Structures are given as structure tokens and as C-alpha cells.
Amino acid sequence: MPEPRGDLRPLWYEPGRLILLDQRVLPHEERYLEVRSAEAAFEAIREMAVRGAPLIGVTAAYGVAAEAYWHAGEPDLRQHLQNALRHLAEARPTAVNLRWALERLRRVLEAAPDAEIPARMEAEARRLEQEERERCEAIARHGLALVPEGARILTICNTGRLATPGIGTALGIIYRAFEAGRVRMVYVPETRPWLQGARLTTFELSHAGVPHRLIVDSMAPYLISLGQVDLVIVGADRIARNGDTANKIGTLSLALAARQFGVPFYVAAPLSSFDLSLASGREIPVEERAGDEVRRFQDCATATPEVATLNYAFDITPGDLITGFITEQGLLTPPFDTEEIAR
Ligand code: MRU
């Protein structure tokens, strides 16, 4: 098993090739995938080799840059890339960062002279990556002010260095709060069925030396009821105008328990995760994934193959259960207005 390393990069781009850390085999193996086309980026996103809302946006952008690199000079390049942009947007439905990143590339594509398309696609993807990294730092700065001394923090899924190009969103705040000496304990739910908490978040926290305990998902509300959690901080995949928030399945149970027992519940997310075109969470498409993710874990069958399943990958937490939204622009509360959220 590899040592958890702080320099483990989830992705990097060289002209024509995107190198992705394959998150499906972590923490047991450090394996990399080479992506040279939009189709390969699509597969990597859909099959969860890369995941986390900001990171899948950046992956898709580099997938388009690679596609442009290999097809440079072809007469139908512009149309070819338009098709790739449309296709990539379908890789996963819930995280709006994916569509947001692709929309940025589409605008650059439309404005670019033919000969400059590949270079402009790459430059825009690099800009996106850099901006997401800076957004993480700003989120962590704003979030730090909300973490009390000796905090016991509950989070879910993985929202750190493996979910973003930077230090992360919810986990980025935890890192900065730990450096400031304020974190007593981080509780990490396993996050069935992909176990992003068990495999990725504990991996990151161990490396950083942050005290943490892995718990089963269903224990989290009980832990809150015992008074052992001072605050909950989670990430987001899409936030509607009224604050309703799609995030990893299990988030809603944390929010309900936090409200019941008087614990603050924060969502930490960049503005690229806000979708102000949607009035409420009812309009957010929630991804339903394959039944085998529930019937099995990797090579191990946990139920018989004929068992019927229901596998929503995300849930929607009503905005009024959320104490505040920690963004790069500071702490926001709904209803959001488009001017406030000038992304
Ligand atoms: O299915 P995943 O692993 O892509 O889900 C990830 C989450 O739900 C994260 O909480 C969210 O994307 C925010 S990552 C900064």
C-alpha cells in the first residue's frame, strides 16, 4: 500500500495528454491513466476514476484540450469540438461544475480563430484549474473563522486534494483549521457505496496528520445526538437559488440531525457549484447509478446478483437546513442573487 503522500496530484496536463490518478484503486495502489481524447475523459469521469465536482470540471476541460491538440488543423475541428463538449456534459448529471467548465470552453472556442483553437483550449483549461485552486484557498480562509477551538468536525465523502485541483473545499477548511491548532477530531463517514470517506478522506487526513476516526455512515446522526460534533462541513455538487444543495448521498441525514440537535451545518463550495438558473433543488438532476455498486464492493459480492436496487448517488438538502455557504466570496445565505454570485 502506498504511503499517503502530500504531493499526490490528482491530475496534470502535458500537451495532448492528461495524466489522471485513478482514484478507484486508492488507497491500496497508486495508478495513473493517460487521457488523450474527450472520449477517454468522458469514460474516466463516468467510471469514477476521477470524481469530485471541481475536479471533474477540470478533467473535462483538459479532455477537450487534448482532443483539440490531436485534431489540430482538421477542417471540421470546430464542429468536432462542439460535439465533444456536448458529449462530455453528459458524463455525470449532478455536479454543475462540469457544465460550467464546458460552457467556458465553448465560449472560448466560439471566439477563437481557427489556427488558435488548440492553444486557446489548453490555456482556458489551465486557467480553470488555477482558478479552482485559488477558490479553494479563499474558501479555506473564510471557513477558518467559523471553526471554534478544539472543534470536533463531521464531514462526508471526499472534498479535499483528490476532489479539487487545490486543497479542497470542506476538507480545505479542515486543513487550515488544523494548522491553526483548532481541530480536535474529524469524523469521516465511510460514504457507501464508493467509500470516498474510507478510502480517500482518511488517506488524505493521515498524510496531513489530522486526527480522525472512520465511522459507518449510519452512525453519524447518533454521534451528533451524543453532543460529540461541534460543526458539520460538507461539499456540494449543485446549489440552487433557494440554497437547496445536492451533495453525496447521506448528506441530508447529517443536516437533519444537525438541525435537531442544534449543531451548525455548513456547505463549503466554489461559485462554480452554484446553479442560479434553478429555483430549487427539485430541478436538480440526481444521478442514479448501477445496481452493482450496491450489490458488490469491488470484487466482493455483498448481495445476490438478482437483488433489485435503488442507487441515488446524491441527495438534496433543503436550503433552510443549511447554516451558511462558505464560498470564495465569504459566507453567503440564500436566496442568492445573480449579482452577488458573479462567477
Ligand atoms: O460521486 P463523487 O465522489 O463525485 O461525489 C463527490 C461529492 O459529493 C463531493 O462532496 C462534492 O463533489 C464536492 S467535492 C469538493
Side-chain angles (χ1 to χ4, degrees), residues 48 51-54 92 157 159 163-164 169 196 236-237 247-248 314:
M48 306 284 288
R51 28 70 47 201
R92 291 191 75 190
C157 197
T159 59
T164 69
T169 56
Q196 291 94 330
D237 286 82
N247 191 49
K248 183 50 58 192
F314 301 95

Side-chain angles (χ1 to χ4, degrees), residues 331-343:
L331 191 66
L332 305 181
T333 47
F336 308 111
D337 67 60
T338 14
E339 275 168 34
E340 190 180 21
I341 300 191
R343 52 181 192 168

Side-chain angles (χ1 to χ4, degrees), residues 260-275:
Q260 173 71 18
F261 296 101
V263 171
F265 179 96
Y266 292 104
V267 169
L271 297 183
S272 53
S273 300
F274 285 69
D275 184 352

Side-chain angles (χ1 to χ4, degrees), residues 17-332:
R17 44 200 292 269
L18 171 66
I19 314 299
L20 281 180
L21 177 63
D22 187 344
Q23 300 194 21
R24 294 167 298 188
V25 295
L26 283 174
H28 302 294
E29 206 184 314
E30 186 179 330
R31 186 193 296 167
Y32 294 88
L33 299 173
E34 190 175 293
V35 164
R36 288 168 167 256
S37 66
E39 184 56 33
F42 178 95
E43 283 295 312
I45 294 168
R46 198 184 53 183
E47 300 305 321
M48 306 284 288
V50 60
R51 28 70 47 201
L55 202 63
I56 63 180
V58 172
T59 300
Y62 280 129
V64 176
E67 191 74 28
Y69 178 90
W70 294 110
H71 293 270
E74 292 179 8
D76 60 348
L77 177 62
R78 197 178 291 276
Q79 187 53 47
H80 182 74
L81 294 182
Q82 291 284 11
N83 296 343
L85 288 165
R86 262 194 303 278
H87 180 53
L88 270 162
E90 304 305 316
R92 291 191 75 190
T94 303
V96 74
N97 311 59
L98 176 62
R99 282 167 180 70
W100 171 81
L102 293 169
E103 178 56 24
R104 285 218 0 199
L105 262 79
R106 194 186 60 75
R107 276 191 245 126
V108 172
L109 175 63
E110 278 172 4
D114 286 354
E116 290 179 28
I117 289 174
R120 297 241 188 139
M121 294 290 100
E122 179 179 335
E124 186 63 4
R126 288 196 189 280
R127 208 162 15 246
L128 262 168
E129 182 187 1
Q130 179 58 23
E131 282 176 19
E132 289 291 37
R133 189 173 296 128
E134 289 164 8
R135 288 168 199 265
C136 288
E137 288 297 339
I139 289 168
R141 247 191 340 270
H142 293 298
L144 178 59
L146 301 165
V147 180
E149 294 292 333
R152 296 161 302 172
I153 305 172
L154 174 65
T155 186
I156 188 169
C157 197
N158 174 269
T159 59
R161 292 190 161 95
L162 294 166
T164 69
I167 57 165
T169 56
L171 220 50
I173 296 170
I174 291 171
Y175 285 135
R176 292 294 177 253
F178 172 69
E179 286 156 17
R182 296 195 199 162
V183 176
R184 182 160 22 139
M185 184 56 65
V186 181
Y187 292 107
V188 182
E190 291 174 296
T191 320
R192 278 280 294 149
W194 277 88
L195 301 179
Q196 291 94 330
R199 295 185 303 106
L200 308 177
T201 298
T202 62
F203 184 66
E204 285 198 32
L205 292 176
S206 320
H207 169 78
V210 182
H212 60 281
R213 294 244 177 125
L214 178 64
I215 62 173
V216 297
D217 296 332
S218 45
M219 182 176 143
Y222 181 54
L223 195 65
I224 294 175
S225 80
L226 292 175
Q228 292 186 24
V229 173
D230 300 302
L231 74 163
V232 184
I233 317 178
V234 302
D237 286 82
R238 197 185 292 224
I239 300 164
R241 213 156 58 229
N242 68 346
D244 290 356
T245 297
N247 191 49
K248 183 50 58 192
I249 192 80
T251 303
L252 174 58
S253 63
L254 308 187
L256 288 165
R259 170 57 55 91
Q260 173 71 18
F261 296 101
V263 171
F265 179 96
Y266 292 104
V267 169
L271 297 183
S272 53
S273 300
F274 285 69
D275 184 352
L276 300 186
S277 72
L278 306 184
S280 82
R282 274 196 297 275
E283 297 167 51
I284 299 178
V286 172
E287 180 177 11
E288 197 182 329
R289 294 187 60 91
D292 266 353
E293 293 182 359
V294 184
R295 287 185 288 254
R296 319 180 55 85
F297 178 68
Q298 291 180 341
D299 296 334
C300 177
T302 54
T304 53
E306 63 279 2
V307 168
T309 62
L310 186 57
N311 185 17
Y312 291 125
F314 301 95
D315 57 27
I316 313 266
T317 297
D320 58 13
L321 292 182
I322 298 168
T323 311
F325 291 79
I326 308 166
T327 73
E328 64 270 35
Q329 288 184 10
L331 191 66
L332 305 181

